Amino acid sequence: MARFETKVLIIGAGPAGYTAAIYAARANLKPVLVTGIQPGGQLTTTTGVENFPGFAEAVQGPELMDQMRQQAEHVGTGIIYDTITSVDLSQDPIVAQGDSGDVYLADTLIIATGAQAKWLGRPGEADYSGYGISACAVCDGFFYRGKEVVVIGGGNTAVEEALYLTNHASKVTLVHRRDSLRAEPIMQDRLFAHSKIDVMWNTEIVAFLGKDQPSPRLTGLRLHDRTTGTESVIAVDGAFVAIGHDPATALFRGQLDMTDDGYIKISQWSTATSRKNVWSAGDVSDDRYKQAVVAAGMGCMAALEAEKYLADRASPAANRPPVGIPQLVA
Ligand code: NDP
């Protein structure tokens, strides 16, 4: 069992975690980054990434994340392949326990544990994920120019995705399991008014259908009409599953302020959490943009904020009594 002591502990190895590591390492803080079970995060399950600046040609998600890992390592980050199983934020230094049995003691913590898109878990979904099935219209909508796509879900995300996809697709069908949407009324108005969008009510996905040769590709959906009880098959070029996200915040429940949806609350224009030595960056706090480049930016902010906190704490001024309180003179 090893024991690591660090000024900056970063949990999570997606764009937010690696960017925080690059900035903290370049500030000579010798950060330790613990990767979790999916080093590289959500981008490791993505194929071509066309919206991360700096790559004229689409870069493969795993390749982009591998480059970020190497960059973080080259500038001095200690990367540890372990999964944090418990954290005690009430202690100073913060104590984190790894699945390996290793213990991490940290003056500051940057949480970059990300979020996972929720999936339907229906047959074919895993087979064609990345080959016609996506959970991010902004990331993948561009590949569906002039094509017919389906969005599954009835919340704000599903409606936003459907509206966004009209920029590319020739037709968008929103498939929802009930007879009303939970999206905000103004979003619903925009959806219903759009000439490219149809809604299929009371409809569930039974299976994702596709072909496997010459390469995997989604070709259609088997649907169940809950009103009539009948099944049907429709042809589609793409399906966007938009039934919500699960932020990876279980470790911090009861220790940090969170939103009703379980995201870690941060201040506006800052990654500060409800604890002075903990920052939170990327999708674990971002229920709005959910983009790699935004996560990377938040990782940068978190590292700069942690650096400032450590510098302030180390400065002699931090140990001086507050101005204005009379001092006893010996
Ligand atoms: P929501 O939880 O609001 O909606 C999820 C949708 O997916 C619901 O319509 C739900 O159906 C459906 N669903 C869930 N599970 C299944 C399933 N197994 N099969 C079929 N359908 C399913 O998630 P969102 O991601 O839409 O939104 C999350 C939060 O983020 C919300 O608070 C939302 O308002 C906010 N948000 C805000 C935005 C903005 O302000 N611009 C943009 C995007 C999100 P049912 O309705 O039947 O439960």
Side-chain angles (χ1 to χ4, degrees):
M1 189 188 90
R3 181 183 149 107
F4 297 91
E5 291 180 22
T6 179
K7 288 190 177 123
V8 184
L9 177 65
I10 299 163
I11 309 178
Y18 284 139
T19 308
I22 291 163
Y23 275 78
R26 295 190 76 253
N28 276 335
L29 295 174
K30 299 187 174 54
V32 168
L33 182 151
V34 180
T35 59
I37 43 176
Q38 191 188 12
Q42 293 177 74
L43 277 187
T44 53
T45 57
T46 311
T47 48
V49 179
E50 286 189 346
N51 57 6
F52 200 90
F55 299 89
E57 302 294 329
V59 58
Q60 295 299 303
E63 165 67 10
L64 177 61
M65 298 321 299
D66 194 50
Q67 286 291 325
M68 284 193 204
R69 178 189 59 76
Q70 289 188 45
Q71 188 178 356
E73 247 170 356
H74 289 165
V75 292
T77 306
I79 294 183
I80 298 176
Y81 296 90
D82 193 3
T83 300
I84 299 296
T85 52
S86 69
V87 181
D88 186 348
L89 302 180
S90 68
Q91 308 223 42
D92 192 1
I94 290 164
V95 181
Q97 175 86 44
D99 192 35
S100 60
D102 293 348
V103 173
Y104 304 83
L105 301 179
D107 293 329
T108 64
L109 174 66
I110 295 176
I111 299 168
T113 45
Q116 289 290 336
K118 289 184 192 163
W119 296 98
L120 288 162
R122 294 284 187 262
E125 189 177 45
D127 302 331
Y128 303 113
S129 178
Y131 302 98
I133 301 177
S134 167
C136 177
V138 174
C139 314
D140 299 325
F142 190 69
F143 302 118
Y144 294 90
R145 266 168 298 176
K147 305 219 161 142
E148 298 198 359
V149 299
V150 154
V151 176
I152 301 143
N156 271 335
T157 302
V159 172
E160 259 191 8
E161 302 243 311
L163 289 165
Y164 178 83
L165 285 163
T166 59
N167 295 319
H168 303 290
S170 58
K171 183 180 169 203
V172 180
T173 305
L174 187 85
V175 177
H176 183 40
R177 64 182 176 183
R178 290 189 299 120
D179 62 359
S180 64
L181 303 175
R182 67 170 68 222
E184 289 162 28
I186 188 168
M187 302 286 289
Q188 297 196 29
D189 290 349
R190 281 184 210 146
L191 182 95
F192 297 139
H194 206 292
S195 61
K196 276 191 185 177
I197 301 179
D198 282 339
V199 182
M200 286 181 94
W201 300 106
N202 299 305
T203 304
E204 287 175 329
I205 310 297
V206 177
F208 294 86
L209 311 173
K211 61 185 175 77
D212 297 319
Q213 298 298 334
S215 56
R217 193 73 220 164
L218 178 79
T219 55
L221 300 172
R222 182 179 298 284
L223 304 173
H224 173 245
D225 183 326
R226 296 179 68 197
T227 316
T228 61
T230 55
E231 283 197 4
S232 60
V233 170
I234 58 167
V236 292
D237 299 308
F240 289 82
V241 179
I243 60 169
H245 284 76
D246 275 330
T249 52
L251 278 176
F252 313 103
R253 234 165 258 152
Q255 302 195 70
L256 289 174
D257 290 353
M258 297 196 190
T259 68
D260 291 344
D261 294 322
Y263 290 81
I264 295 175
K265 268 192 190 167
I266 51 174
S267 314
Q268 198 176 14
W269 272 107
S270 162
T271 57
T273 68
S274 50
R275 283 193 186 264
K276 64 178 185 204
N277 55 348
V278 180
W279 293 265
S280 175
D283 287 11
V284 70
S285 278
D286 174 11
D287 65 356
R288 188 164 175 194
Y289 302 107
K290 304 181 187 103
Q291 297 300 304
V293 69
V294 175
M298 292 173 77
C300 161
M301 289 163 67
L304 294 176
E305 289 172 311
E307 182 193 351
K308 179 164 187 326
Y309 166 85
L310 289 166
D312 287 351
R313 202 174 74 156
S315 88
N319 300 320
R320 270 186 229 136
V323 178
I325 297 180
Q327 299 302 299
L328 288 177
V329 180

